[in-house]
Amino acid sequence: IDLLAKDLQKEMTEAETEEKEAQIDYESMMKESAAKRTADAASLAEKSSVKADTEAALEDHKGHLASAGKEHMATMKYIASLHAECDWLLQYFDVRKEARAGEIDSLVKAKAVLSGADYSLVQTKTHNFLGRSA
């Protein structure tokens, strides 16, 4: 019975020691968990703030993109109108050049008449009266 009591006492001591070590490990784990939860909460708050800032920047960039797109479309429309205007100028250049030359010639003759020249008897073009040939 002494042997049995000693074994029981030894087992009780070992159990108490194991329980104390387990309690210390548990308390240590709980402190680490609490610290980790605090760090995770701070990290979550920081990441939420960064996410909100990034979303705000994204919305701002979307607005700038839309504005730049509208400006680009207006520029392209203006370029197209310039192109059409240039095409018109090229198409009618010869006609306008001829008309301008006629105007200049008329102004020169008018100036000469005002200076005293007499062009009353000069015939510059042949005219057929009522389409009859002479």
Side-chain angles (χ1 to χ4, degrees):
I1 291 198
D2 271 344
L3 187 58
L4 193 57
K6 280 185 176 181
D7 282 344
L8 185 58
Q9 185 64 29
K10 184 180 173 185
E11 286 179 15
M12 290 288 284
T13 305
E14 287 176 1
E16 285 177 7
T17 305
E18 286 178 7
E19 187 176 335
K20 285 179 185 177
E21 288 176 359
Q23 183 65 31
I24 290 170
D25 288 345
Y26 174 75
E27 288 173 5
S28 173
M29 183 185 74
M30 291 306 286
K31 285 180 186 176
E32 289 173 4
S33 295
K36 186 174 182 332
R37 277 193 305 276
T38 303
D40 287 347
S43 174
L44 179 64
E46 180 183 347
K47 288 178 181 178
S48 295
S49 172
V50 169
K51 180 184 174 195
D53 292 344
T54 304
E55 286 176 347
L58 175 65
E59 290 301 318
D60 188 41
H61 286 6
K62 283 182 181 178
H64 287 302
L65 177 64
S67 173
K70 289 178 183 177
E71 183 178 343
H72 177 69
M73 291 298 292
T75 302
M76 294 306 292
K77 189 175 181 180
Y78 179 68
I79 289 171
S81 73
L82 287 178
H83 185 64
E85 187 175 324
C86 287
D87 286 346
W88 183 87
L89 287 173
L90 287 173
Q91 181 180 359
Y92 293 105
F93 176 77
D94 292 332
V95 173
R96 293 174 67 228
K97 182 178 174 184
E98 187 178 311
R100 191 170 328 272
E103 288 174 10
I104 290 172
D105 186 46
S106 296
L107 288 173
V108 167
K109 287 179 182 177
K111 184 178 177 185
V113 167
L114 290 174
S115 296
D118 187 14
Y119 286 102
S120 62
L121 299 175
V122 176
Q123 185 176 12
T124 58
K125 293 183 182 178
T126 59
H127 295 285
N128 293 333
F129 184 72
L130 298 176
R132 296 183 192 158
S133 58

